[in-house]
Amino acid sequence: MGGRTKGKGEARVIALPADFRLASTADVKASLADALGASAAELDGAAVERVDSAALQLLLVFRREAAARGLALAWSGVSVAMREAADVLGLSQVLELPASMPA
Amino acid sequence: MSKTGLAQFQQVFIEESLEGLDTMESSLLALDNGGDAELVHTIFRAAHSIKGGAATFGFPEMSSFTHEAESLLDEVRGGKRAIDGAIIELLLRTVDCLRAMFARAQAGEPLNDAVAEALRNELAAAMGRGAPVAGVQARREVDQADAWTVRFRPHAGMLAGGNEPLRLIRELAGLGELTVKTELDRLPATLAALEPTECHLGWTIELKGPARRADIAAVFDWVEDECDLAIEAKHIVAEVASPVATPATPAAPAANVADAGAVRAQREASAESSSVRVSIDKIDGLINLVGELVITQSMLDTFRGGEVDASRLAMLEHGLAQLARHTRELQESVMGIRMLPIASVFNRFPRMVRDISQKLGKQVKLDLVGEQTELDKTVLEKIGDPMVHLVRNAIDHGLETPEKRRAAGKQDTGTLTLAASHRGGSIVVEVSDDGAGLNRDAIVSKAVQRGLIASAEGMSDEAVAELIFQPGFSTAAVTTDLSGRGVGMDVVRRNVSDLGGTVTIRSTQGKGSVFTITLPLTLAIIDGLTAAVGEERYIVPLVSIVESVQLKADAVRSVAGGGELFRFRGEYLPVIRLHDAFGCDTAVQAIDEGLMVVVEGDGARMGLFVDGLIGQQQAVVKSLEANYRRVQGISGATILADGSVALIVDIAGLVRLQGRRKAA
């Protein structure tokens, strides 16, 4: 259940897995590293049902490196579970989660 | 984790913790009697698991409370403090308090109450004893505040250990309003440099709300060694010396005894419908028997259809005999699943005896005999209360003070013995003491005063002793909070007879008393006589039957008000015609054609008029309530060999029914 990258060429869409926790971070990290080569990327967290701090930490590092490389980043979906976890951990702002978006 | 999932785990945690508390209690009592130091470790371990579990399962109040006790135990364990009577007393009350907290947790009530607060402060005070006063003061000041800053930096390996900051912070949110700031300074700049299973985040959390340091620390209890943690008070509560902080006066021991009892009762009540733990051995035995049964069945299967020729008849008989044997063994084994040692009931008494005897200034040695005797779980759960009454009575009324004992030429220390044993198909529980015995004169004068008897002339000691089972009967000169309120022995007898058992008393003045409770091993099977009434069959429990007699028609007299009486061994007994009571049409009406079965229940005798007795049999009790509805005077039903249903007569119920009719 690793994160899959869809789309070819420019805007890469990274769909985050439903169980986005410690065990899945290695897979997701691979697809995120892959996306760093593109010029734009979209994170899709609409399907995320379970998430932990390791997963959000991974996204933080990804965003940080993407910003350094000048990659255009956007969210295409954020599930309730993900938003809630980010709020608890005080990460909603740094992750730039959209104010409200249909999950 | 889903709500129900968590609730399930909480239930298991509570059950295990209650067992842990039992262990703590019995170990403390053993320590009190000069047990070895290994017991301290046992107690510490029990307290530690409760603390950790409480933090994990969302009971921070309980966790921080246990933490205080654990710290105290840690000092004892580390040899920094000698264990003495005061500490044992304090820890015993901690056990009671935790039991009460668990009861409240199960009822969904707030866990803390005034008793818990007071006790927590006592524990803290006990810890602080000997420390410089200023130090205690300083610690107190930051123990409670209405705003805190918590700096929490997990070590890199914490996530891999299964500890999730998300859960910890959520738990912290239960203590007050949080403002969470994430510290990203340790975060690597590139994905390549990130090991995703390591934690590089840190948090600074502002907590608003009145909380204790210990409550906050309890949240991070499991991860103590896996993170850097700093808890700082931002605003110190102005009123440090609030009422709860004053050295608490110990609650009256009597209240404690009562509390402990109440909590136990509550806990046992809730346990009544719950589960039973069965040893693997017993289950393996069952599986083995079912296997045998299947083999026998397949053997018998070869006889199906076709004629059985004479040469194989012996084999068929053999098979049927095997079937009968296996069925009986299986039945016994299945009953065995519900059998538990009486130790679980006995174990509550060392504590109770200690508390009561201390309160009354008596010296009591408690002997437990036959703790491994097994009996049905349902019986086990209901035998506790009657025994508590008997033990209280024995210490309060039976055993004398050391001075009186010396004067009577006995040892200062009285002996109270609880003994359980199997006798035939019954279990016998004896509560005996070597105290003063029943005071015949006091009982007689009280009974005369209450109008129960005119005079005791010609009454045997046994008959006099029977009087104490009358409702509201008490000879205690002073009503104490322990016993003597006259709600005791009649309740004991009622409870025991509800279980199909009897209570008898044997007492020698100056030597002591023995109360004997005889109970059926199980409630699932009873021995009974099958009685015919019209077309119907009724089972009369054998334990209730005194004898059966055939009467002449003129032996039964009608009395004003519609009742009937007959004379039996010098007393007049009321007659209940079962066909009237249960509405059977074609039954025998004439007294001299039927049979009078004299039965005893609830302390009263009466005659049951039936057509005749068919025979004795073991009846497997099926609940009427579960299959139909509750019927007055019927305790259940059973299925006879021919497949028809026979109702089991509830003698005590009939007696009560009769009493009500008389009163009406």
Side-chain angles (χ1 to χ4, degrees):
Chain A
M1 281 216 301
R4 285 170 297 115
T5 52
K6 288 184 275 186
K8 37 207 155 179
E10 298 306 286
R12 208 63 86 79
V13 177
I14 302 139
L16 301 172
D19 187 354
F20 187 21
R21 291 186 293 176
L22 195 73
S24 65
T25 47
D27 287 356
V28 179
K29 183 186 166 189
S31 40
L32 289 173
D34 194 34
L36 282 173
S39 65
E42 260 183 33
L43 287 171
D44 182 2
V48 174
E49 286 166 14
R50 305 179 134 200
V51 62
D52 64 6
S53 33
L56 294 180
Q57 172 180 275
L58 177 66
L59 293 182
L60 272 181
V61 176
F62 171 66
R63 293 191 69 90
R64 198 174 255 207
E65 189 173 2
R69 291 182 180 222
L71 192 75
L73 261 185
W75 283 98
S76 65
V78 179
S79 72
V80 178
M82 195 154 157
R83 184 181 300 278
E84 198 260 344
D87 279 344
V88 171
L89 291 173
L91 291 172
S92 296
Q93 288 199 343
V94 262
L95 282 173
E96 291 171 42
L97 291 188
S100 134
M101 179 179 277
Chain B
M1 204 179 299
S2 71
K3 264 262 157 58
T4 48
L6 188 61
Q8 227 170 35
F9 287 123
Q10 278 179 349
Q11 192 52 42
V12 174
F13 160 65
I14 290 173
E15 275 173 24
E16 287 184 354
S17 299
L18 288 174
E19 281 172 23
L21 286 174
D22 288 347
T23 311
M24 275 176 82
E25 185 173 65
S26 58
S27 306
L28 282 166
L29 289 169
L31 261 183
D32 203 19
N33 292 327
D36 63 23
E38 184 52 38
L39 288 167
V40 177
H41 294 280
T42 310
I43 300 167
F44 180 84
R45 278 194 296 272
H48 185 73
S49 346
I50 293 172
K51 179 181 93 161
T56 309
F57 292 109
F59 304 113
E61 303 96 326
M62 204 182 290
S63 170
S64 70
F65 179 79
T66 321
H67 179 76
E68 302 283 351
E70 192 195 352
S71 311
L72 187 62
L73 282 164
D74 198 32
E75 290 205 346
V76 174
R77 194 172 65 142
K80 287 187 203 139
R81 180 187 296 279
I83 193 139
D84 56 19
I87 290 185
I88 289 178
E89 179 65 36
L90 189 60
L91 289 171
L92 280 174
R93 283 198 284 132
T94 306
V95 170
D96 289 344
C97 184
L98 279 169
R99 275 206 194 103
M101 279 178 144
F102 279 113
R104 287 197 288 272
Q106 274 177 319
E109 292 165 12
L111 294 182
N112 271 335
D113 65 358
V115 177
E117 292 289 332
L119 200 54
R120 186 212 299 271
N121 284 310
E122 272 190 75
L123 284 167
M127 276 293 293
R129 223 187 288 150
V133 178
V136 173
Q137 207 57 40
R139 243 194 56 198
R140 275 279 169 81
E141 275 175 4
V142 291
D143 257 359
Q144 184 153 20
D146 52 15
W148 296 86
T149 305
V150 180
R151 273 180 248 284
F152 169 51
R153 280 182 166 252
H155 295 167
M158 196 184 95
L159 296 181
N163 286 304
E164 176 53 51
L166 199 53
R167 179 179 66 72
L168 297 171
I169 298 176
R170 275 200 189 116
E171 204 172 303
L172 206 56
L175 296 174
E177 199 185 312
L178 300 186
T179 315
V180 182
K181 201 173 145 277
T182 321
E183 286 161 17
L184 306 171
D185 51 299
R186 289 189 297 171
L187 207 60
T190 60
L191 268 184
L194 173 75
E195 172 47 57
T197 58
E198 286 183 355
C199 188
H200 305 278
L201 298 169
W203 286 270
T204 303
I205 304 159
E206 308 285 343
L207 170 68
K208 254 189 229 154
R212 292 163 181 281
R213 174 183 296 276
D215 291 338
I216 298 171
V219 171
F220 296 96
D221 218 36
W222 275 149
V223 295
E224 262 171 353
D225 307 331
E226 293 178 285
C227 69
D228 296 327
L229 186 68
I231 306 172
E232 286 161 24
K234 281 177 74 182
H235 299 291
I236 290 159
V237 176
E239 254 181 287
V240 173
S242 63
V244 291
T246 50
T249 44
N256 272 345
V257 175
D259 278 357
V263 172
R264 292 256 197 188
Q266 225 174 329
R267 174 185 150 203
E268 264 145 34
S270 66
E272 252 178 52
S273 57
S274 67
S275 54
V276 58
R277 285 191 189 183
V278 183
S279 75
I280 296 284
D281 282 353
K282 282 186 176 175
I283 292 179
D284 284 348
L286 272 181
I287 291 172
N288 188 26
L289 275 173
V290 172
E292 297 274 340
L293 209 55
V294 170
I295 294 170
T296 313
Q297 189 257 336
S298 60
M299 195 255 265
L300 289 175
D301 230 22
T302 59
F303 295 98
R304 196 197 291 267
E307 304 263 310
V308 178
D309 70 63
S311 63
R312 294 182 68 207
L313 208 56
M315 203 176 145
L316 178 61
E317 265 174 23
H318 175 67
L320 286 172
Q322 240 180 23
L323 184 67
R325 196 177 71 233
H326 288 147
T327 312
R328 197 176 56 244
E329 281 174 7
L330 189 64
Q331 188 187 31
E332 277 168 15
S333 303
V334 172
M335 293 300 166
I337 289 184
R338 290 185 55 91
M339 301 299 246
L340 296 171
I342 200 169
S344 61
V345 173
F346 275 11
N347 284 345
R348 75 165 75 169
F349 288 106
R351 172 73 191 280
M352 205 185 104
V353 168
R354 176 184 180 275
D355 288 349
I356 297 178
S357 57
Q358 273 186 0
K359 180 167 186 292
L360 296 173
K362 295 179 179 178
Q363 293 176 16
V364 182
K365 180 162 124 339
L366 179 67
D367 276 345
L368 301 178
V369 181
E371 290 159 279
Q372 290 311 314
T373 309
E374 289 193 328
L375 69 162
D376 190 272
K377 186 165 183 283
T378 315
V379 181
L380 195 70
E381 279 160 358
K382 293 185 175 159
I383 182 87
D385 285 346
M387 283 191 69
V388 166
H389 273 294
L390 291 178
V391 169
R392 277 188 187 166
N393 274 340
I395 303 174
D396 200 12
H397 301 316
L399 293 169
E400 315 92 325
T401 55
E403 298 79 53
K404 280 195 188 159
R405 289 184 67 88
R406 232 170 292 151
K410 302 189 205 175
Q411 286 182 331
D412 284 10
T413 304
T415 305
L416 181 67
T417 308
L418 302 183
S421 60
H422 281 159
R423 225 168 272 172
S426 305
I427 175 155
V428 178
V429 182
E430 282 186 349
V431 178
S432 53
D433 64 72
D434 64 350
L438 290 180
N439 184 338
R440 182 184 162 114
D441 296 340
I443 294 172
V444 167
S445 72
K446 184 84 178 186
V448 171
Q449 183 195 327
R450 290 184 59 93
L452 294 170
I453 51 169
S455 87
E457 235 167 281
M459 277 181 82
S460 64
D461 282 354
E462 286 75 36
V464 171
E466 273 295 305
L467 289 171
I468 67 167
F469 290 107
Q470 294 295 323
F473 194 92
S474 172
T475 63
V478 186
T479 301
T480 66
D481 54 355
L482 287 178
S483 50
R485 277 169 301 196
V487 285
M489 297 312 295
D490 60 321
V491 177
V492 169
R493 177 159 274 183
R494 165 76 67 92
N495 285 355
V496 172
S497 73
D498 281 351
L499 292 172
T502 58
V503 189
T504 57
I505 175 167
R506 212 166 64 238
S507 178
T508 318
Q509 203 151 349
K511 290 269 177 62
S513 317
V514 182
F515 287 88
T516 308
I517 303 177
T518 310
L519 288 168
L521 268 182
T522 170
L523 300 179
I525 294 187
I526 60 162
D527 278 315
L529 282 182
T530 316
V533 180
E535 303 289 305
E536 302 293 330
R537 302 284 175 268
Y538 289 92
I539 308 282
V540 183
L542 208 57
V543 285
S544 323
I545 297 179
V546 180
E547 78 180 78
S548 52
V549 287
Q550 187 132 37
L551 294 177
K552 294 202 177 82
D554 57 357
V556 173
R557 312 254 176 88
S558 296
V559 289
E564 287 179 301
L565 291 177
F566 72 103
R567 197 174 166 80
F568 177 76
R569 298 189 195 282
E571 53 180 332
Y572 281 98
L573 302 180
V575 174
I576 292 186
R577 291 169 179 261
L578 271 193
H579 60 89
D580 277 350
F582 299 136
C584 306
D585 288 338
T586 55
V588 174
Q589 303 282 337
I591 290 294
D592 54 356
E593 285 172 32
L595 204 61
M596 193 67 76
V597 183
V598 180
V599 292
E600 191 172 44
D602 225 16
R605 285 180 174 189
M606 59 181 186
L608 289 186
F609 183 68
V610 300
D611 292 6
L613 291 175
I614 296 169
Q616 184 178 337
Q617 77 164 80
Q618 277 203 328
V620 178
V621 180
K622 310 246 179 213
S623 165
L624 205 58
E625 240 166 317
N627 295 309
Y628 174 53
R629 65 184 170 84
R630 194 173 168 76
V631 179
Q632 189 89 40
I634 298 287
S635 63
T638 192
I639 296 175
L640 298 174
D642 64 1
S644 62
V645 173
L647 298 175
I648 300 167
V649 181
D650 172 16
I651 301 296
L654 274 184
V655 169
R656 271 172 241 158
L657 205 63
Q658 173 79 8
R660 222 168 297 152
R661 242 181 241 159
K662 221 165 32 183

